[in-house]
Amino acid sequence: MKLEIARGIFLVGALAVASLAVAAWEQPRTEVLSSTQAGAHCPLPRVAKVPKTTAAARPDQDLLLFMFGLTQAMKPQS
């Protein structure tokens, strides 16, 4: 096969792949959400009750050890 023919086939193939990628690319359009489109999303209620706890949230002590173990496992052993 001549080099010119191979280049032409490659060019046609590359253009076909690029055109398929452009056709398949789907991006959502920008739109303004309004109250008339209630089925499109689920808005939060105006009065949301948050449970009040007297104790502050404290992280689990084992979580720090777990995270340290994960980072140590990711390092290459030498």
Side-chain angles (χ1 to χ4, degrees), residues 5-49:
I5 296 173
R7 284 182 182 168
I9 291 174
F10 177 74
L11 178 65
V12 169
L15 289 175
V17 168
S19 62
L20 283 174
V22 168
W25 188 312
E26 182 180 335
Q27 289 185 346
R29 290 179 282 144
T30 57
E31 42 184 73
V32 177
L33 295 177
S34 65
S35 61
T36 58
Q37 300 172 343
H41 67 287
C42 182
L44 290 174
R46 291 184 183 213
V47 180
K49 294 183 179 179

Side-chain angles (χ1 to χ4, degrees), residues 47-73:
V47 180
K49 294 183 179 179
V50 179
K52 295 181 181 180
T53 57
T54 56
R58 295 185 182 137
D60 188 10
Q61 296 299 324
D62 293 334
L63 180 62
L64 183 60
L65 184 62
F66 176 70
M67 294 297 288
F68 178 73
L70 285 177
T71 57
Q72 294 299 315

